[in-house]
Amino acid sequence: MGKGQRATQVYRSTEFIEQRRDEDGLVLGGDPFKLAPSTSASLLESEANGKAAKASEASTKTIVVAKPTRAAETESGELESVPTFILVTTYLSYLMLIIFAHLRDFFGKLVYPEMYVQLREQNGFAPMVSDFESLWTRRLYGRIRDCFNRPITGVAGGHVNLLERVSFDFNRSFEFTGRVRNVLNLASYNYLGFAQSEGPCADKVEQAIRENGITQASTRAESGCTRLLVETEDMVARFVGSEAALIVSMGYATNALNIPALVSKGCLIISDELNHSSLVSGARLSGATIRVFRHNNMASLEKQLRNSIAQGQPRTHRPWKKILVVVEGLYSMEGEFCKLPEIVELRRKYGFYLFVDEAHSIGALGKRGRGVCDHFNVDPREVDVLMGTFTKSFGAAGGYIAGSRALINHLRLKSHSAVYAEAMSVPVLAQVSSSMRMIMGEDREHALEGQQRLDQLAVNSRYFARKLAEMGFMTMGDPGSPVIPLLLFSPAKIPAFSRECLKRNIAVVVVSYPATPIITGRVRFCISASHTREDLDYALEQISEIGDLLLLKFHKANVDKERIARIDADIDALNITGIITRRSVC
């Protein structure tokens, strides 16, 4: 057994990196990723010293073997009770905006008819868009366009370089000022901090380009199937715990082009009402019948299953060829986990096929980063189709479908993503392979860094959510989610929050109708393992000031102590790596 293999064995047995931590479990001092041993040799040399140090510190530390998270047993994902005054003023605000928008359009069509040509029938052709859709885009979204699609340069890591722009025509067009601002990035899906232009992953990418070039410029069905692609697919299958996997070069297409290869006319898709657009597109393209159940409501899902099985297909009442239930592992707009254990129980009871989209959960959830199955201790073989993307946790692009070998062989022959789409390029494959090997502890020189990133992300997420709750903000999501939505409600507060954050050099994503229900406009914080304690504390301080300015602390007088206690308990029991000290080592 070589040094690298021995180092991996040591890492897997200890499953914890001894570091100086504060009372919230955050690593103290500098870049958290530079504290792990840089090579296998240094790890093995420190093993003997580590044993002696642990023996001397045993009297001052309390070691707790934590239990798996119990998010499935709580209703933390449900929206908290909203004050009636907030609801009424939110509806009134939207009503006033729409009324004034219609008035401006009415008079505008009379005074400036040439500006509304696209909304009228021309030469027998209907308008390209409906009047209300155009109204919303021009009069509401257009006024706050500066809060969206902000251009950046460089890598979207813990901090990002933002290209400054201004508008002199009410956001109809923008001009660059030539200035670049470095801002704290709470807007990008960079959960494990692998979005880096330097480091071990970047070095592996450069090496792969020198050895294999950039791309094959072909589909995998012709000349795009390379050894690197096959090896990466085998690694993905081992990582998620399935027999085989298929890699697709585009994350959206992973759903949109593979679902039609799984179901067709005569089949039934039962979909969560908050599923991603790519799942909706794939379901519509398949030709299957689509029915929707209430978000994360198992009673609604079971009712749909019972009715569908009892009644069969419309008109003929023949049995369905297949019934496919489609859910997401982590819903990125809500920060909530799917209730996978309960869905698996229903699968055993009714015998449907289960499709789980792990675009946001793979790499970010579970003590080993293996996604929602790892988080809930569910056997991956209980899920028929596991889908995920490489854009969120791996700093790459594209996605994968994992399942039985028969399923993957079928998709390789029938899916448009395999037959017609280009194969994944060499740099992206190298990034996926190197980051996944690091998470799995198979990188000999960086055996501990992957697990450290998982640990840091989990602690950062819980710390940030707890502090927001303590301040009196109304948040959504399950404890441990790296996506933390904070409710803003009022349409005026949505752009105001984004602009105030930008003034303080913080980049955030704000979301409103139609992406969310009309009353639940929100800002969505994306936490990363690359964020340091100083980054989080600075963001919390500035967000608290903005909350006071915009009157967003709805629970300031009555902080939700039960929610804070639940998050505190989750932090105390944090066991992403297996063992954690209760007392900070200073």
Side-chain angles (χ1 to χ4, degrees), residues 345-393:
E345 288 298 322
L346 290 177
R347 175 182 175 274
R348 294 169 182 166
K349 182 177 180 180
Y350 293 100
F352 56 80
Y353 293 99
L354 179 57
F355 186 111
V356 178
D357 180 343
E358 293 215 77
H360 289 268
S361 55
I362 191 66
L365 296 183
K367 62 183 181 181
R368 300 175 302 157
R370 310 300 167 91
V372 70
C373 291
D374 189 20
H375 179 78
F376 288 111
N377 290 326
V378 172
D379 189 341
R381 290 173 294 183
E382 296 276 9
V383 180
D384 300 288
V385 186
L386 284 166
M387 175 270 175
T389 62
F390 303 121
T391 54
K392 281 77 177 179
S393 295

Side-chain angles (χ1 to χ4, degrees), residues 391-445:
T391 54
K392 281 77 177 179
S393 295
F394 303 93
Y400 67 87
I401 294 285
S404 65
R405 194 168 299 280
L407 169 71
I408 300 304
N409 288 338
H410 167 79
L411 291 177
R412 284 175 177 152
L413 293 175
K414 301 294 184 180
S415 172
H416 286 190
S417 66
V419 178
Y420 299 110
E422 75 284 356
M424 184 175 284
S425 63
V426 171
V428 180
L429 278 172
Q431 173 69 23
V432 172
S433 175
S434 58
S435 58
M436 190 169 291
R437 283 173 58 85
M438 196 176 295
I439 296 172
M440 297 171 71
E442 295 182 358
D443 189 319
R444 297 184 179 184
E445 295 184 355

Side-chain angles (χ1 to χ4, degrees), residues 185-234:
N185 187 10
L186 297 179
S188 299
Y189 300 130
N190 180 32
Y191 297 142
L192 295 181
F194 281 116
Q196 298 171 309
S197 58
E198 57 183 16
C201 292
D203 294 340
K204 295 291 178 60
V205 170
E206 183 178 353
Q207 179 183 350
I209 293 175
R210 295 182 184 278
E211 295 175 355
N212 302 289
I214 297 294
T215 181
Q216 290 74 39
S218 172
T219 67
R220 66 174 301 142
E222 294 178 319
S223 60
C225 188
T226 62
R227 183 179 63 180
L228 180 60
L229 176 60
V230 173
E231 291 175 351
T232 306
E233 286 181 335
D234 291 341

Side-chain angles (χ1 to χ4, degrees), residues 143-442:
R143 298 173 68 88
I144 60 174
R145 275 187 61 203
D146 59 298
C147 299
F148 304 96
N149 305 321
R150 289 171 175 154
I152 65 171
T153 180
V155 178
H159 289 75
V160 64
N161 292 324
L162 185 69
L163 298 177
E164 194 175 82
R165 59 181 183 172
V166 294
S167 176
F168 301 103
D169 54 3
F170 303 102
N171 290 339
R172 291 188 181 90
S173 63
F174 295 94
E175 296 180 9
F176 290 111
T177 64
R179 292 189 293 269
V180 178
R181 300 174 59 179
N182 186 265
V183 297
L184 176 62
N185 187 10
L186 297 179
S188 299
Y189 300 130
N190 180 32
Y191 297 142
L192 295 181
F194 281 116
Q196 298 171 309
S197 58
E198 57 183 16
C201 292
D203 294 340
K204 295 291 178 60
V205 170
E206 183 178 353
Q207 179 183 350
I209 293 175
R210 295 182 184 278
E211 295 175 355
N212 302 289
I214 297 294
T215 181
Q216 290 74 39
S218 172
T219 67
R220 66 174 301 142
E222 294 178 319
S223 60
C225 188
T226 62
R227 183 179 63 180
L228 180 60
L229 176 60
V230 173
E231 291 175 351
T232 306
E233 286 181 335
D234 291 341
M235 180 183 300
V236 171
R238 287 191 292 110
F239 183 72
V240 301
S242 62
E243 293 181 4
L246 170 69
I247 286 180
V248 182
S249 59
M250 180 180 177
Y252 192 99
T254 307
N255 282 329
L257 298 184
N258 282 291
I259 290 179
L262 298 175
V263 291
S264 58
K265 186 177 180 180
C267 301
L268 173 66
I269 295 176
I270 302 180
S271 175
D272 189 290
E273 66 179 349
L274 297 184
N275 275 345
H276 189 263
S277 173
S278 60
L279 295 170
V280 176
S281 297
R284 290 174 176 173
L285 287 171
S286 69
T289 301
I290 304 172
R291 291 177 183 167
V292 177
F293 68 95
R294 292 177 57 193
H295 173 58
N296 257 354
N297 189 313
M298 296 301 102
S300 176
L301 173 58
E302 185 167 16
K303 182 179 179 181
Q304 287 282 14
L305 287 166
R306 292 172 66 90
N307 292 341
S308 300
I309 293 173
Q311 297 176 10
Q313 298 184 40
R315 292 184 297 181
T316 64
H317 299 291
R318 293 177 180 175
W320 298 101
K321 295 178 182 178
K322 300 174 188 174
I323 297 179
L324 180 68
V325 174
V326 181
V327 296
E328 293 187 38
L330 170 61
Y331 294 88
S332 62
M333 284 292 180
E334 290 71 33
E336 299 171 4
F337 311 142
C338 73
K339 298 181 179 179
L340 186 61
E342 299 176 39
I343 297 174
V344 169
E345 288 298 322
L346 290 177
R347 175 182 175 274
R348 294 169 182 166
K349 182 177 180 180
Y350 293 100
F352 56 80
Y353 293 99
L354 179 57
F355 186 111
V356 178
D357 180 343
E358 293 215 77
H360 289 268
S361 55
I362 191 66
L365 296 183
K367 62 183 181 181
R368 300 175 302 157
R370 310 300 167 91
V372 70
C373 291
D374 189 20
H375 179 78
F376 288 111
N377 290 326
V378 172
D379 189 341
R381 290 173 294 183
E382 296 276 9
V383 180
D384 300 288
V385 186
L386 284 166
M387 175 270 175
T389 62
F390 303 121
T391 54
K392 281 77 177 179
S393 295
F394 303 93
Y400 67 87
I401 294 285
S404 65
R405 194 168 299 280
L407 169 71
I408 300 304
N409 288 338
H410 167 79
L411 291 177
R412 284 175 177 152
L413 293 175
K414 301 294 184 180
S415 172
H416 286 190
S417 66
V419 178
Y420 299 110
E422 75 284 356
M424 184 175 284
S425 63
V426 171
V428 180
L429 278 172
Q431 173 69 23
V432 172
S433 175
S434 58
S435 58
M436 190 169 291
R437 283 173 58 85
M438 196 176 295
I439 296 172
M440 297 171 71
E442 295 182 358

Side-chain angles (χ1 to χ4, degrees), residues 24-87:
D24 295 302
L26 270 73
V27 176
L28 293 172
D31 187 347
F33 304 138
K34 293 181 179 178
L35 300 177
S38 57
T39 63
S40 303
S42 62
L43 171 65
L44 293 172
E45 290 169 1
S46 63
E47 182 182 5
N49 298 332
K51 290 180 179 179
K54 289 179 182 178
S56 62
E57 294 175 2
S59 59
T60 60
K61 286 188 193 176
T62 303
I63 303 298
V64 177
V65 179
K67 299 177 181 179
T69 56
R70 302 171 63 86
E73 301 179 14
T74 68
E75 297 295 332
S76 59
E78 294 184 357
L79 185 62
E80 304 170 40
S81 58
V82 182
T84 305
F85 176 77
I86 300 299
L87 293 178

